[in-house]
Amino acid sequence: MTGSTHVDWADTLDAAIEQVAQLGPVGPGNESRLHRRLREALRCFGSLRALDKEGRLHRHKIWWTRAPGGIDVVALRDSGDREYALGIECKIGKPDELVWDAIKLGQRCGEDPWDHGLEAGAIVVEVSDTALRTPRAGAWFDPSVTEVDTVEAIAGWPEAWYGLMCGGRGVRPTSLPRKLMLGRGRSVKHPGGASALCWRLIIASALDGDDRIPVDSQGWPLQMTISDEWRRQIDRAAETSSRPPITLRERSVLERPPARTVAQIVSDEEGRLWADAWDTRETVPTSFRLVETDLPRYDLMRAKNDALRFVDPPRQLPGWCALAVAEALRTATSD
């Protein structure tokens, strides 16, 4: 490294997102394509380099029970004998996971060079226009919202935090930043206007000592109360983290939510039967691994956001999709 380069990360990311958005949406299940597009756009700025794969910070485990996943996209600027980084977490939909990403990035932002910290963090989300208008998702990209109270964010969407605690395969926070500070951001429409690519900077704030919120062993702020069943499920998910990983097959995504609840039966690579079920509000299915087909029961559920929930002993299917799955089973066995 021989020179020093100043970069306005907000201007840089805004230009990159504008370029990527014009290529159109990548669609559910294609986050890696979004990562590639964003890296290529960032490399158009000759003073930057982008890592070819996800990046991991030194002491990545700090404030977590286990090290969380790597940072999706990392862009680096030269500063003499050091490099400073913008870390970006990307999502296709899944606004319920943004608080996790904001915590993961924000608490490592500061003045440290890569790979001891991030100079800036950002969340980038491909989202439908309808989802963007919902209060809980849209607030992340509302310029009038400049800070997020972490406990209020979790309390306002508890089922989302529950899904994250179950789906993280044993990764839970050991404490939380009190507030998440939000910087510049924008929503850029895709051609046609039915969806957008949104970005928002996450800004560092004081994080040590009394500025952090203690949590219980299931990852919840102490001032929040959850059911014993949720606690059992979170612990069970952590216990299964040592199991061989489940290969996540590609699932069908509908163009629009169905007029009524529907289901289809598919087989995975091991020959196990799964029921994919769509309710009238979703295009991505909830999936159930079946252990019986006469009176359908399941031992593993895969949520819309890919979180896995093991069920022991197996349970009957939930009422909202039981009839649709039974109908799909009858069709499958009659073919």
Side-chain angles (χ1 to χ4, degrees):
M1 302 294 178
T2 57
S4 181
T5 303
H6 172 74
V7 173
D8 184 315
W9 289 120
D11 285 347
T12 299
L13 186 56
D14 189 57
I17 293 297
E18 183 76 39
Q19 178 178 325
V20 173
Q22 298 315 306
L23 300 175
V26 299
N30 294 308
E31 285 188 6
S32 60
R33 185 182 303 170
L34 178 58
H35 300 167
R36 289 194 300 271
R37 288 181 177 181
L38 190 51
R39 291 183 186 118
E40 290 168 2
L42 289 166
R43 288 173 182 144
C44 292
F45 300 87
S47 60
L48 299 180
R49 76 179 183 95
L51 298 185
D52 291 328
K53 57 184 181 181
E54 69 177 21
R56 287 189 174 272
L57 289 163
H58 180 65
R59 297 179 66 213
H60 200 54
K61 182 183 172 182
I62 188 170
W63 295 313
W64 302 95
T65 55
R66 295 168 53 197
I71 299 168
D72 293 333
V73 177
V74 176
L76 300 165
R77 71 171 181 88
D78 181 11
S79 182
D81 60 347
R82 300 180 174 188
E83 290 181 299
Y84 288 85
L86 167 68
I88 306 169
E89 286 289 290
C90 301
K91 288 285 180 287
I92 309 298
K94 304 180 184 178
D96 53 325
E97 297 183 7
L98 292 180
V99 66
W100 173 286
D101 290 335
I103 290 168
K104 176 180 168 182
L105 294 172
Q107 63 187 7
R108 296 304 301 270
C109 288
E111 299 179 356
D112 292 327
W114 178 258
D115 57 355
H116 291 268
L118 299 171
E119 187 170 43
I123 50 177
V124 171
V125 187
E126 179 179 295
V127 65
S128 69
D129 187 58
T130 301
L132 188 59
R133 290 197 299 266
T134 61
R136 291 192 292 194
W140 287 99
F141 305 103
D142 181 347
S144 68
V145 178
T146 58
E147 68 177 36
V148 174
D149 183 288
T150 307
V151 175
E152 288 182 2
I154 295 172
W157 207 339
E159 63 274 21
W161 192 250
Y162 167 67
L164 290 165
M165 294 303 96
C166 287
R169 301 193 67 78
V171 180
R172 307 174 193 167
T174 55
S175 63
L176 293 167
R178 195 166 298 278
K179 292 186 181 296
L180 301 167
M181 312 303 293
L182 305 181
R184 279 178 54 190
R186 191 161 71 100
S187 299
V188 182
K189 294 280 190 179
H190 289 121
S195 59
L197 196 58
C198 309
W199 67 273
R200 193 77 190 262
L201 284 187
I202 309 298
I203 303 174
S205 57
L207 294 170
D208 294 327
D210 293 339
D211 290 309
R212 296 193 64 82
I213 298 169
V215 299
D216 60 26
S217 60
Q218 283 83 27
W220 291 80
L222 298 181
Q223 55 266 62
M224 290 188 63
T225 301
I226 62 172
S227 69
D228 291 340
E229 175 62 17
W230 275 19
R231 295 192 183 279
R232 282 193 294 269
Q233 291 297 336
I234 293 170
D235 287 340
R236 183 171 294 165
E239 290 168 4
T240 60
S241 62
S242 59
R243 297 182 182 180
I246 301 295
T247 300
L248 297 182
R249 59 184 171 83
E250 186 173 348
R251 297 189 286 186
S252 297
V253 178
L254 305 181
E255 292 185 359
R256 60 183 62 86
R260 63 182 182 88
T261 301
V262 295
Q264 70 175 9
I265 306 301
V266 296
S267 297
D268 62 19
E269 293 180 352
E270 299 176 351
R272 298 288 301 271
L273 287 182
W274 288 74
D276 289 351
W278 293 262
D279 68 19
T280 56
R281 299 168 298 175
E282 302 291 345
T283 59
V284 179
T286 300
S287 303
F288 303 88
R289 190 171 70 179
L290 303 178
V291 296
E292 292 182 12
T293 57
D294 292 337
L295 293 173
R297 295 191 301 159
Y298 68 99
D299 66 352
L300 174 60
M301 183 188 79
R302 178 182 170 189
K304 292 183 288 291
N305 66 358
D306 290 333
L308 297 176
R309 176 181 175 184
F310 290 87
V311 178
D312 185 19
R315 295 182 182 178
Q316 291 186 348
L317 292 166
W320 69 268
C321 67
L323 290 176
V325 172
E327 180 180 341
L329 283 168
R330 286 193 297 270
T331 300
T333 54
S334 64
D335 290 343

